[in-house]
Amino acid sequence: MSILSAKNLVYEYPDGTKAIKDLSIEIERGKKISVVGKNGSGKSTLFSLLNGTLKPKSGEIKLYGEKIGYSQSEIRNLRKNVGIVFQNSDDQIFAPTVYQDIAFGPANLGYSDKQIEEIVQKMLDYFGLNSIKDKPPHHLSGGQKRKVAIAGILAMDPEIIILDEPLSNLDPVGADEIMDILNELNHTGKTIIISTHDVDLAYSWSDTVYLLSDGKISISGNPESVFSQEELIRKSSLKTPVLLEVYKELEKRWLSSCGFLPKNIPELVQTLREIYLFRVKVPKGTKVGDCINVGFLYKEYDPSGVYESVNSKVLLISDDNSAIVEVKKKIMNPGSIYIYDIDNHDSEQLHLIFDKYDINYVAAVGKRSHGLADSENIKVDANYGVIDKSILKSLTGGRCIILTGKGMIEHTYKRIKEYSTESGIKINCKILNTEN
Amino acid sequence: MHNLDDIALLSPLRKKNTHLKMLIVLFCIIAGVLSPSPVTPLFIGVVMIFITLFFGKVPKKFYLKLLFATMGFAFISAVMIALFSGGILGDVIFSYKLFFINIVLTTNSLNHSILIFSRAFGGLCSIFFLSMTTPMLEMFSIMKRVKFLNTFSELVMLIYRYIFVFLELLINIRAAQTMRFGYDNTKSALNSLSMLVSSLFIKTMDQGDKLFLAMNSRCYEGKMKYFEPCYKITFTDTIAALVFVVSVIAVFYFTMNFRFF
């Protein structure tokens, strides 16, 4: 269902430059959407139009299928439903304290003081900002400011959250935290739109990608189809995502099977072609048809690899004592992934689980899981792309635990099972302590 | 960077009730000014220094530097009053005729100048206590409470935030200019300064636009609410305040007729 749409938008700056030329866009509910394009392609202008802060010269914007007029109340309704997080947090945070800034939106929406207090407290808890709620913004770090900016918008409970370059000027861990928050928000049903130059992020994260160039949408669709248009991508001063490039090279060399374009590393691994024939050195006197045990997989290949070789059959012997053998590979016991529900947390039980399953890889989803891990003195190995990383780890025999809240459990379990059935590798996945 | 606001923000006494602090300081200033003897304001000053340094955890060096700098002015004024208020009667301690000006030091003028100096000292220490334990943020609640020109206090809230935004900008622009030898001689320094001021001015206008946008996109309707952080008055706070007030009154009462000379 289309929640927000724009049709034939035209916008001209007062000096006459056309920033948006005949642009149409359809935003579907609950999707993750990226708008990519080079600097000055009109991304920020488009966002201001969608939020009603700019008025288009012609064209129309529809919210829930109803055309937006530009009366005070209609604009208010649009802004309540479509929140924008600016690229520069300093432009957005203007109140003297964090608490005041988050409370600004709800106060304008006319909630009672008690409601406002509840909402702000919820935001502070959700973003882990409780310890800095009375601080002035100039005492915050860049990552904290970004969180406050997002919290200030989220406090109005908009259906759609637009973020202009959400990861600019953030360190990698700070960026991971923001992406975690965005993913979690998306799971609770929010529609998320981001603008970005980071093609890797746009490719692996989004459901839909809009490529904006010269004030128009030049192509849109799922990330695989958009980023396969190399010519267009290059013209728009963007690059092909690294993952896609690697895959294309592998495909050209017949190393991976064609079929579908991988969106993340586990999927890329899945496309790799299995190699059955190896050329190895064999002892003298070996005959064609013999079964030998080649230990080479432990020498030439990564010892932490996935496979062990069993009874390889010699197919052909050449003169220089080497032979072509067919290797029957057996996947060594893949590891397991355990999912731990932090809403049913019990300290003693958690430590028992660690002992019992001999956990060697800990992944935490969201701020609360991190807080819990900290308070239990558990070192967290992964905090972003948690599911992918856990799958990769378990493929090489790792025993992972994923700490997550109730909302994400089902999704996590489903993703792992899906991978398991698609790849044919049986990963042991278990939800540990949920009620149902 | 050490500024008074930062010190107040980090002070442990920040979490005490703002109104209580404000009332105590008001009481101190009034008691100091009404007292006919210098002992009461001196007592208030010493207690305030003690509270600010030991409970407020204000860096001692910073505090003393600020105190000496400001008390320096008070000291000079006190000396002037002592020497040049010849009209006040009393025993002459010292007199000297410089050209046609009579410099006369009498017991009364000395007492008078000591009283004025001690009042300045007491008042200053009380104000220091307030400004080093109560950041601007907390003062907003008092502004809003007394319904002190609503629009004005909203403006102050916005201005407060942007002081620091522009301060940072100023430091950055200055650094960029200094890096390229913008302040090497008087002529280039003047030139750089003018560019600094003009670019700051343009930036403030630009920021004003952005602020309007930011407020509008969160449904701003001309009213900015202030949410008072709730710092409760604890039992120990009340007792401590009462003990202080009673002791000041006692000192006031028993030293009323005390004079140094």
Side-chain angles (χ1 to χ4, degrees):
Chain A
M1 180 196 142
S2 151
I3 175 168
L4 181 73
S5 65
K7 218 171 159 194
N8 306 106
L9 280 188
V10 175
Y11 182 77
E12 244 180 48
Y13 276 109
D15 63 355
T17 18
K18 275 197 175 165
I20 298 290
K21 305 167 188 164
D22 194 21
L23 182 148
S24 301
I25 195 168
E26 291 252 339
I27 307 292
E28 272 178 66
R29 191 186 202 137
K31 293 276 182 201
K32 297 185 274 192
I33 294 153
S34 299
V35 178
V36 294
K38 64 177 167 188
N39 291 331
S41 58
K43 286 174 292 185
S44 301
T45 314
L46 171 65
F47 288 170
S48 299
L49 285 167
L50 291 180
N51 170 261
T53 31
L54 292 179
K55 196 179 166 183
K57 194 173 165 232
S58 63
E60 58 182 31
I61 290 170
K62 282 181 178 171
L63 182 69
Y64 294 112
E66 273 180 49
K67 194 182 163 197
I68 293 291
Y70 282 81
S71 72
Q72 197 75 28
S73 64
E74 278 171 295
I75 285 294
R76 219 177 129 80
N77 188 31
L78 180 65
R79 283 180 186 153
K80 196 220 160 284
N81 283 296
V82 185
I84 290 194
V85 180
F86 293 165
Q87 180 176 358
N88 184 356
S89 311
D90 273 329
D91 293 345
Q92 184 168 346
I93 306 170
F94 50 78
T97 64
V98 170
Y99 191 99
Q100 301 280 325
D101 200 81
I102 298 175
F104 181 77
N108 287 335
L109 293 176
Y111 296 143
S112 73
D113 282 5
K114 198 161 166 268
Q115 277 172 310
I116 294 173
E117 199 189 315
E118 266 169 32
I119 293 172
V120 177
Q121 197 50 51
K122 209 174 116 196
M123 289 299 126
L124 291 171
D125 289 338
Y126 185 73
F127 287 88
L129 297 171
N130 253 317
S131 59
I132 57 165
K133 71 181 164 101
D134 289 326
K135 277 195 180 177
H138 61 275
H139 276 201
L140 308 183
S141 72
Q144 287 171 331
K145 275 187 204 168
R146 193 63 50 94
K147 279 189 209 158
V148 173
I150 299 177
I153 295 298
L154 193 64
M156 299 194 301
D157 196 25
E159 276 295 321
I160 302 173
I161 303 174
I162 299 180
L163 301 104
D164 200 351
E165 294 282 348
L167 305 187
S168 64
N169 293 330
L170 293 182
D171 55 37
V173 172
D176 286 355
E177 279 186 42
I178 298 294
M179 286 323 289
D180 255 357
I181 290 169
L182 295 189
N183 284 331
E184 221 174 306
L185 288 178
N186 181 252
H187 278 291
T188 60
K190 303 269 180 232
T191 310
I192 313 262
I193 306 177
I194 65 169
S195 80
T196 182
H197 292 130
D198 186 345
V199 285
D200 292 315
L201 173 73
Y203 179 69
S204 59
W205 176 79
S206 29
D207 298 320
T208 312
V209 175
Y210 288 93
L211 176 60
L212 199 63
S213 72
D214 202 20
K216 272 183 278 195
I217 301 280
S218 55
I219 184 172
S220 65
N222 59 9
E224 294 94 324
S225 66
V226 170
F227 285 108
S228 298
Q229 307 278 333
E230 286 173 26
E231 191 64 32
L232 261 173
I233 294 288
R234 207 169 32 246
K235 263 192 205 157
S236 314
S237 301
L238 296 172
K239 287 199 305 194
T240 313
V242 173
L243 198 75
L244 199 56
E245 222 166 328
V246 170
Y247 171 75
K248 291 257 154 100
E249 291 305 317
L250 288 174
E251 197 181 30
K252 275 181 209 161
R253 285 162 180 73
W254 296 3
L255 292 172
S256 62
S257 51
C258 356
F260 73 103
L261 298 172
K263 274 183 85 172
N264 47 39
I265 296 181
E267 280 184 22
L268 179 74
V269 171
Q270 210 179 310
T271 67
L272 292 179
R273 240 172 233 291
E274 297 260 13
I275 302 170
Y276 298 103
L277 299 181
F278 283 84
R279 175 182 282 273
V280 290
K281 282 222 164 8
V282 287
K284 262 191 183 160
T286 314
K287 287 191 284 282
V288 170
D290 278 1
C291 276
I292 56 167
N293 236 336
V294 279
F296 64 83
L297 286 178
Y298 293 107
K299 282 182 198 154
E300 276 179 49
Y301 298 83
D302 188 353
S304 66
V306 189
Y307 304 110
E308 56 188 1
S309 66
V310 202
N311 287 343
S312 310
K313 196 175 171 193
V314 178
L315 297 181
L316 194 91
I317 295 197
S318 39
D319 304 333
D320 56 346
N321 267 351
S322 67
I324 307 284
V325 294
E326 183 191 17
V327 177
K328 285 190 191 116
K329 286 187 290 189
K330 200 177 105 191
I331 295 170
M332 288 194 297
N333 294 334
S336 349
I337 302 176
Y338 303 102
I339 303 171
Y340 183 81
D341 179 3
I342 57 168
D343 291 319
N344 277 330
H345 173 59
D346 175 6
S347 179
E348 206 175 303
Q349 191 193 3
L350 182 65
H351 286 285
L352 250 156
I353 287 168
F354 268 74
D355 289 343
K356 185 177 166 195
Y357 296 109
D358 192 18
I359 303 292
N360 58 6
Y361 193 81
V362 182
V365 184
K367 200 77 209 165
R368 280 195 304 135
S369 311
H370 275 273
L372 189 129
D374 275 348
S375 64
E376 296 289 338
N377 266 330
I378 296 165
K379 197 180 137 276
V380 176
D381 299 289
N383 47 28
Y384 175 60
V386 161
I387 302 173
D388 289 0
K389 282 183 184 158
S390 303
I391 290 176
L392 286 174
K393 189 74 192 172
S394 72
L395 284 181
T396 55
R399 294 168 299 280
C400 318
I401 190 164
I402 299 179
L403 309 174
T404 183
K406 218 172 216 100
M408 293 286 281
I409 286 184
E410 202 180 324
H411 169 74
T412 311
Y413 186 75
K414 229 172 81 193
R415 270 288 306 277
I416 296 167
K417 278 290 159 208
E418 259 172 32
Y419 183 81
S420 204
T421 39
E422 273 171 30
S423 64
I425 300 169
K426 193 178 166 291
I427 299 170
N428 182 17
C429 179
K430 201 170 159 195
I431 303 174
L432 289 175
N433 62 337
T434 195
E435 280 150 2
N436 30 35
Chain B
M1 191 169 62
H2 258 334
N3 60 44
L4 276 179
D5 203 55
D6 277 348
I7 285 176
L9 280 169
L10 301 173
S11 166
L13 290 184
R14 178 187 171 190
K15 304 275 174 197
K16 299 288 171 204
N17 188 283
T18 317
H19 296 257
L20 183 67
K21 281 190 280 189
M22 193 82 179
L23 283 178
I24 287 177
V25 167
L26 267 178
F27 167 76
C28 284
I29 291 174
I30 292 171
V33 170
L34 287 184
S35 164
S37 92
V39 179
T40 315
L42 284 178
F43 172 74
I44 290 171
V46 169
V47 173
M48 280 300 173
I49 292 180
F50 178 76
I51 295 175
T52 322
L53 291 185
F54 288 92
F55 294 110
K57 301 264 182 283
V58 173
K60 292 187 184 60
K61 222 172 146 185
F62 176 83
Y63 186 89
L64 291 178
K65 223 165 103 183
L66 209 64
L67 186 67
F68 280 126
T70 34
M71 284 317 291
F73 290 105
F75 182 73
I76 293 169
S77 327
V79 169
M80 289 300 182
I81 289 167
L83 294 179
F84 293 100
S85 48
I88 300 178
L89 292 173
D91 307 331
V92 175
I93 301 171
F94 160 90
S95 83
Y96 181 75
K97 193 168 166 73
L98 185 73
F99 304 114
F100 51 88
I101 307 167
N102 271 325
I103 300 176
V104 187
L105 185 67
T106 66
T107 45
N108 273 4
S109 75
L110 192 59
N111 274 331
H112 188 60
S113 88
I114 288 175
L115 180 61
I116 287 180
F117 181 79
S118 63
R119 277 175 184 169
F121 175 71
L124 201 67
C125 292
S126 311
I127 292 290
F128 275 6
F129 162 73
L130 188 67
S131 58
M132 288 185 193
T133 59
T134 318
M136 256 329 264
L137 307 175
E138 258 66 71
M139 301 303 278
F140 295 140
S141 69
I142 291 182
M143 276 189 195
K144 282 268 176 180
R145 174 65 59 91
V146 297
K147 301 265 183 285
F148 175 63
L149 292 175
N150 239 332
T151 322
F152 178 76
S153 56
E154 276 166 26
L155 265 180
V156 173
M157 277 161 77
L158 289 176
I159 290 168
Y160 170 77
R161 162 83 181 113
Y162 281 96
I163 286 174
F164 296 97
V165 172
F166 292 126
L167 190 66
E168 202 186 322
L169 193 69
L170 176 107
I171 291 168
N172 286 344
I173 297 178
R174 238 195 97 96
Q177 289 178 326
T178 324
M179 254 184 274
R180 282 174 281 165
F181 312 111
Y183 293 94
D184 262 19
N185 56 49
T186 327
K187 200 181 155 211
S188 65
L190 266 178
N191 195 16
S192 302
L193 189 68
S194 73
M195 284 199 285
L196 175 78
V197 171
S198 62
S199 66
L200 265 182
F201 179 71
I202 292 168
K203 271 279 181 191
T204 48
M205 288 185 47
D206 197 36
Q207 202 70 43
D209 276 349
K210 280 181 183 157
L211 172 65
F212 187 65
L213 212 102
M215 294 179 90
N216 260 343
S217 68
R218 282 198 264 166
C219 306
Y220 180 58
E221 278 199 324
K223 264 223 175 100
M224 199 168 155
K225 248 190 169 168
Y226 183 80
F227 299 91
E228 199 176 331
C230 186
Y231 300 135
K232 289 206 175 64
I233 306 177
T234 61
F235 183 66
T236 37
D237 291 350
T238 325
I239 295 296
L242 272 179
V243 167
F244 176 66
V245 168
V246 168
S247 54
V248 168
I249 292 174
V251 170
F252 188 100
Y253 183 77
F254 288 113
T255 64
M256 210 177 295
N257 296 317
F258 178 85
R259 300 287 179 278
F260 278 104
F261 299 102

